[in-house]
Amino acid sequence: MAGSATNFTGASSAFGTLPVLKEERQLGLLDHSWVNIGIAVATWAFLLGGTTAMFVGARDGIAAIIIGNVIGVAIVSVSVCLGTSKYGVEQFTFARSVFGRAGVLMLVCIFLAIYGVGWSSVLAIMFGRAISEVTNSTAGTTIGPNDLGVTAFAIIAIAVSWVLLWKGPTAVKWLNRIVGPGKLALCAGILILLFAEKSWSAIAAAAPLQPFDDPSTNFMVAVEINLAASFGWWPILGNIARFTKTPRAALWPNITGIFAAAVVGEVIGLLAALSLGNFDPTAWMIPLGGMTIGVIALLFIGLANITAIVSIFYGMCLAMRQAGGRRFENIPWGVLTGALFIPVIIVSFFPAQIYDNFFVFLAWTALGFAPLSGVTAVDYILLRRGQVNSRDLYRDEPGTDYAFWGGVNWIAFIALIVGGLVYYALFNPLSLTAHNALFNVISASVPSCIAAGLVHYVLTKSLLRPGGRGGYAA
C-alpha cells in the first residue's frame, strides 16, 4: 500500500476514508451545534427521560440526567473529537492508532453490529409507533404498538434514511437548521402544556413508575442509564467532528448541542412520564397536546429520528468501508448503505422485544463503550500527546507505526476486557441489579472507563513503548 501515501493529500470524499482537507470542511460552531441538537433531541431523549422516571422522581431524576450526561459526553468528546478534527480522519481509521488495522475490524464487527443495528432499530420502531399514533388519531386506524403497521412505518423511516444517507453527510445540514430549532420549540411547547395541566409540586410529588426497594440503588441506576446513553455517543461524534473547521467548533458543540439538548429532552420525558404515568413518549403526545399539537409533535419526533439514524449509519458505513479494505471501498456507497440497513429491517419486525429490552440494551452499551472511551482518550491525550502519524494510519505493512502484532494491539483489547469485567463486578446489565455495594457510590460506567484507561496506560508504557511498537514517542 505504498501508493496510498503519495495520494494521501489528494481531494478526499465524504464517502471515503481519506482525510477531509481544510477547504472541504463545512461545519462551523453554529452548524455543528445544530447537527448535534438534531441528533440529540430525538425520541430517544424522551424515552430515556421516561426510563429514568421508572426509578426516581422529578428532583432526583433531573440530577441523575445532568450527572450522567455531563460526565459521559465530556469524556466521549475528548476521546474522539479532538483527533478526528485535527487530522480530518474518519473515526475508525483513526482508531487504527489504538487497536491496529486488523484490530479495528474486530472492533467494528463487535461494537457496530450491536450499536448500529440496535439503536437504529429502536429509533425506527419508535418512528413507527409515533406515526401509527398519528394515523390512529387522524385516519381512524387501529394500529397497535406491536402490530405490523408499526413495522411498515419503521421500514419507511429506514428507506428515507437510506436516501438521505446516499446523498452524503451534508444532506441533512440544511434540514437540521430547521429541524433543530423546531424541536427546541417543540420541547418548550410540551413543557407549557405539561405545566398547564399540573403544577410543579404535583409533578415533583409523583412517585417513580417501577422503582427498586432501595432509594440509593434507584438513584444510581438512573445515573447509570444516563451514563450509558452518553457513552453511547462514541461511534457518532468523531465522524461529525472531522467536518468541523476548527478545534473549537469540534469540541464545544458537544456541550451546547449533545449535552444541553439531550438534558432538555430527557427532563421533559421525565416530567411527562411522571405526570402521565407512562414511560413511552409515543403514548402521551396526543393526550397531552390534543389532536393538532400532538400530531405535530409526533411528526417532529419522527423526523428527528430519521436524522439520528442517518448520523448513526454514516459512521457505521464508513467504518465498514475502511475496515474491509479495498473490497468494501469498491462497493458503491448506495449499495453498501442499503445492505447494512437490511438487519435493521429484520429487527423491526419485533417491536415488542426491542422496547421491552431497551433498558438491558442500554446497560450493555455502557459495558462496551465506557471502557472504549477510557482507552481511546488515554491513548490520544496522555500517551501520544495529540500526535499521530497520519500516513501510517493508511499503511498495513510490517514495521509501520500501527502494525502492532499482526495488525492487532492486544494490549488495548486487554484493557477493554478489564474495563468490562470491572463494570460487571459492580452491576449486572441483564437484571439491572448491583453486584457490589460500591455501585451505589461510584456507578459502574465511570470505574469501568477509568480502569480500562489505566490498564492501557500502564501496559503501553511498560510493554509497547520499550519495544518500539505502536509509534509511541519516548
Side-chain angles (χ1 to χ4, degrees), residues 174-185:
W174 291 98
L175 181 63
N176 274 315
R177 288 182 173 179
I178 300 172
V179 174
K183 284 183 289 187
L184 291 180

Side-chain angles (χ1 to χ4, degrees), residues 287-335:
L288 180 64
M291 178 70 72
T292 302
I293 296 177
V295 166
I296 294 173
L298 288 169
L299 290 175
F300 253 115
I301 288 171
L303 189 58
N305 279 7
I306 288 177
T307 60
I309 292 172
V310 171
S311 298
I312 290 172
F313 259 78
Y314 172 67
M316 181 176 177
C317 292
L318 277 186
M320 291 296 294
R321 173 167 280 188
Q322 68 85 11
R326 295 184 183 277
R327 289 172 298 176
F328 281 89
E329 289 181 356
N330 292 329
I331 298 176
W333 179 257
V335 175

Side-chain angles (χ1 to χ4, degrees), residues 274-294:
L274 291 171
S275 177
L276 300 173
N278 193 324
F279 77 94
D280 185 357
T282 64
W284 34 258
M285 287 299 178
I286 291 177
L288 180 64
M291 178 70 72
T292 302
I293 296 177

Side-chain angles (χ1 to χ4, degrees), residues 366-456:
L367 186 149
F369 286 115
L372 185 59
S373 299
V375 168
T376 50
V378 166
D379 191 272
Y380 181 70
I381 296 171
L382 298 183
L383 292 170
R384 300 194 185 277
R385 305 295 178 90
Q387 301 297 319
V388 169
N389 184 342
S390 52
R391 289 180 180 272
D392 274 12
L393 290 174
Y394 295 87
R395 301 172 61 198
D396 56 1
E397 297 95 336
T400 55
D401 278 353
Y402 311 125
F404 295 105
W405 293 279
V408 180
N409 182 5
W410 294 109
I411 283 178
F413 281 98
I414 290 172
L416 291 182
I417 293 172
V418 171
L421 291 175
V422 169
Y423 185 99
Y424 194 81
L426 294 167
F427 187 63
N428 187 334
L430 192 60
S431 62
L432 300 187
T433 55
H435 280 158
N436 193 297
L438 285 174
F439 170 78
N440 289 348
V441 180
I442 59 176
S443 81
S445 292
V446 174
S448 172
C449 177
I450 294 173
L454 182 61
V455 169
H456 183 63

Side-chain angles (χ1 to χ4, degrees), residues 62-219:
I62 292 173
I65 288 170
I66 293 174
I67 292 170
N69 277 281
V70 73
I71 293 174
V73 170
I75 294 174
V76 170
S77 299
V78 171
S79 172
V80 298
C81 292
L82 294 178
T84 57
S85 173
K86 179 178 179 179
Y87 292 95
V89 175
E90 185 274 327
Q91 183 171 333
F92 283 86
T93 302
F94 195 82
R96 293 171 181 171
S97 64
V98 185
F99 298 97
R101 188 181 185 94
V104 167
L105 178 58
M106 297 165 55
L107 199 69
V108 168
C109 293
I110 296 171
F111 282 84
L112 284 196
I114 298 172
Y115 176 86
V117 173
W119 266 115
S120 297
S121 300
V122 168
L123 290 168
I125 290 170
M126 286 192 286
F127 176 95
R129 288 191 171 188
I131 303 304
S132 295
E133 288 290 332
V134 171
T135 60
N136 287 347
S137 300
T138 60
T141 58
T142 56
I143 302 174
N146 301 314
D147 290 349
L148 282 176
V150 171
T151 299
F153 286 125
I155 293 174
I156 291 174
I158 294 168
V160 173
S161 300
W162 175 53
V163 171
L164 288 173
L165 184 62
W166 199 344
K167 300 299 182 181
T170 58
V172 294
K173 173 182 175 181
W174 291 98
L175 181 63
N176 274 315
R177 288 182 173 179
I178 300 172
V179 174
K183 284 183 289 187
L184 291 180
L186 171 64
C187 290
I190 293 175
L191 278 179
I192 292 172
L193 292 171
L194 190 62
F195 285 107
E197 294 289 331
K198 291 188 177 181
S199 64
W200 163 251
S201 58
I203 297 175
L209 304 182
Q210 298 178 26
F212 295 113
D213 294 333
D214 182 15
S216 298
T217 300
N218 285 324
F219 179 74

